[in-house]
Amino acid sequence: MSLRNYLNNIKPNFQQGGKLHMFESIFDGFETFLFVPNKTSAAGANIHDSIDSKRIMSIVVISLLPALLFGMYNVGYQNYIAAGTFASASFIEVFCYGFLAVLPKVLVSYIVGLGIEFAWAQWKHEEIQEGYLVSGIIIPLIVPVTTPLWMLALACAFAVIFCKEIFGGTGMNIFNVAVGARMFLFFSYSSKMTGDTIWVAQNSIFGLGNTLPDGFSMATPLSQISQSIVPQGSLYDMIVGFIPGSIGETSVIAIGIGAIILLWTGIASWKTMGSVFVGGIVMALIFSSLDMTSIAWYEHLVLGGFCFGAVFMATDPVTSARTEMGKYIYGFMIGAMAIIVRVMNPGYPEGMMLAIFFGNMFAPLIDYCVVSRNIARRTNRINK
């Protein structure tokens, strides 16, 4: 109550006519982050519930924490394994190294993204929008640990401005912001997003970790498959997450914990999420039956960013299909397309982000067709 009273006392300074009126958006952003607002949104994302969108975003962030924490450990694990010093390292040493390697990327993502959000809100005299609370943590999780910070900053700025703000902000964007950042990095700096030299942190940090030789390489299982090489690592490693890959995408278990949180709270649609896996399974079985893939169908689901994309990105309520039937079609299309890209294009072994991008593009058309079909059916029913 003391914090609430303090905010009430200083609030007039930030309102119209107050000496700090120019910072009204910033004050409103912090106030509504700390306390549930007693007003509804005028435009954009509308949540018909007792919980506002900032609380929705907070729960999504919580669901991402298992993937983030395991990703930090795996970054350290891969470095120590590559150097051959894992046996003599403690859990704390391995995790702290990964923590120090990943933390700057999270900070850069939030500083750049939220900085643009704050500046945009001040310029437009609008409320600070909360959508980047989720995008800010997803973006560092879908890039290699060796991605330069300046490059990540550019990607965040591009994604926030061109994938969100120019469309009207949170609730109005067509494309998922994190997907936009990943696509920007891939097509602008492909050498830093693909290859065998980017998946393992190669320098010690504050005395932790190991400095690896210049040019050290370690391929991901998907990269090995695209080169017709039997992938290293067992199915156990693939599920637990002890394989090279983007920071937060390797552990199916950690992602599964996040999925349970999202489904239990009702934030993510089980129809969309489940349909992504169904689409992936169907296409993987088809390619397996045609002998076009060298791994079992279930391995396609646990490798790369398939699970992460299905759970945290395809289910984005703003950029995904919103009709009930449309969710099935949208999810199935993403899952199927991810496997098609992965198998048919060896030069692009990870197809999930591209599949989600095209899914976002077609989501409005899917909803339009579903609604039009329902209208036509009801019209025919009336005419009969």
Side-chain angles (χ1 to χ4, degrees):
M1 289 301 294
S2 59
L3 179 59
R4 177 70 271 177
N5 292 334
Y6 174 74
L7 291 176
N8 289 338
N9 290 334
I10 66 173
K11 189 172 185 176
N13 295 324
F14 296 90
Q15 294 177 330
Q16 190 70 33
K19 59 183 179 181
L20 299 176
H21 170 64
M22 67 176 64
F23 301 112
E24 180 181 8
S25 297
I26 296 177
F27 177 83
D28 179 77
F30 281 113
E31 181 188 27
T32 53
F33 180 79
L34 294 171
F35 296 96
V36 176
N38 58 358
K39 57 185 178 181
T40 58
S41 57
N46 293 273
I47 307 298
H48 299 284
D49 205 331
S50 59
I51 186 171
D52 78 315
S53 52
K54 280 188 176 64
R55 301 304 176 273
I56 295 287
M57 300 300 174
S58 298
I59 294 174
V60 178
V61 170
I62 292 172
S63 70
L64 284 159
L65 290 180
L68 173 63
L69 294 174
F70 183 87
M72 290 177 173
Y73 179 80
N74 190 48
V75 166
Y77 174 83
Q78 296 299 329
N79 176 270
Y80 279 88
I81 284 291
T85 59
F86 179 75
S88 61
S90 66
F91 174 87
I92 297 298
E93 288 178 315
V94 175
F95 178 81
C96 286
Y97 175 80
F99 175 83
L100 292 174
V102 174
L103 182 62
K105 291 176 172 51
V106 177
L107 292 178
V108 166
S109 176
Y110 272 118
I111 290 171
V112 173
L114 291 180
I116 294 174
E117 293 266 15
F118 277 49
W120 196 281
Q122 288 296 117
W123 177 45
K124 302 288 287 185
H125 301 290
E126 298 174 344
E127 295 180 6
I128 294 174
Q129 298 171 350
E130 61 282 343
Y132 199 77
L133 289 175
V134 172
S135 301
I137 194 171
I138 289 181
I139 292 174
L141 294 181
I142 59 175
V143 299
V145 67
T146 57
T147 304
L149 296 181
W150 66 267
M151 205 176 286
L152 185 65
L154 278 180
C156 293
F158 172 86
V160 173
I161 295 172
F162 291 99
C163 294
K164 182 182 177 190
E165 297 299 350
I166 64 171
F167 289 102
T170 300
M172 308 295 286
N173 49 299
I174 299 175
F175 298 106
N176 183 283
V177 176
V179 170
R182 172 70 183 247
M183 299 289 284
F184 174 84
L185 286 171
F186 180 82
F187 290 110
S188 299
Y189 306 100
S190 57
S191 64
K192 298 296 184 180
M193 297 298 291
T194 59
D196 299 342
T197 63
I198 62 173
W199 305 108
V200 179
Q202 300 183 11
N203 298 308
S204 61
I205 305 174
F206 297 138
L208 293 172
N210 306 273
T211 298
L212 303 180
D214 292 339
F216 174 83
S217 64
M218 182 179 288
T220 64
L222 284 178
S223 179
Q224 292 173 327
I225 293 168
S226 69
Q227 300 171 31
S228 301
I229 301 174
V230 177
Q232 298 176 354
S234 63
L235 181 61
Y236 170 83
D237 292 329
M238 297 175 186
I239 294 175
V240 176
F242 293 130
I243 55 175
S246 295
I247 294 171
E249 294 181 346
T250 63
S251 176
V252 177
I253 295 175
I255 295 169
I257 294 172
I260 291 171
I261 294 173
L262 293 178
L263 294 174
W264 181 60
T265 56
I267 291 176
S269 169
W270 64 267
K271 297 176 182 178
T272 301
M273 193 184 299
S275 297
V276 175
F277 285 100
V278 171
I281 291 171
V282 169
M283 287 310 305
L285 286 172
I286 290 174
F287 284 127
S288 293
S289 66
L290 297 175
D291 205 22
M292 294 177 64
T293 177
S294 59
I295 60 175
W297 63 269
Y298 51 83
E299 291 182 305
H300 277 289
L301 305 184
V302 299
L303 289 176
F306 193 94
C307 286
F308 190 93
V311 172
F312 297 114
M313 302 174 78
T315 55
D316 177 9
V318 174
T319 58
S320 64
R322 304 188 185 189
T323 57
E324 297 307 306
M325 179 57 67
K327 293 175 182 177
Y328 290 116
I329 300 171
Y330 169 83
F332 186 91
M333 182 181 74
I334 288 177
M337 188 179 298
I339 304 301
I340 291 173
V341 173
R342 186 180 285 181
V343 174
M344 301 294 289
N345 184 4
Y348 191 61
E350 175 54 79
M352 193 59 179
M353 298 303 154
L354 188 63
I356 295 173
F357 180 82
F358 281 107
N360 292 167
M361 185 185 302
F362 284 100
L365 177 62
I366 292 172
D367 283 339
Y368 174 80
C369 292
V370 171
V371 172
S372 297
R373 179 174 177 271
N374 289 339
I375 293 174
R377 290 177 60 187
R378 292 179 183 180
T379 300
N380 292 334
R381 198 178 303 155
I382 294 173
N383 292 336
K384 289 180 180 179

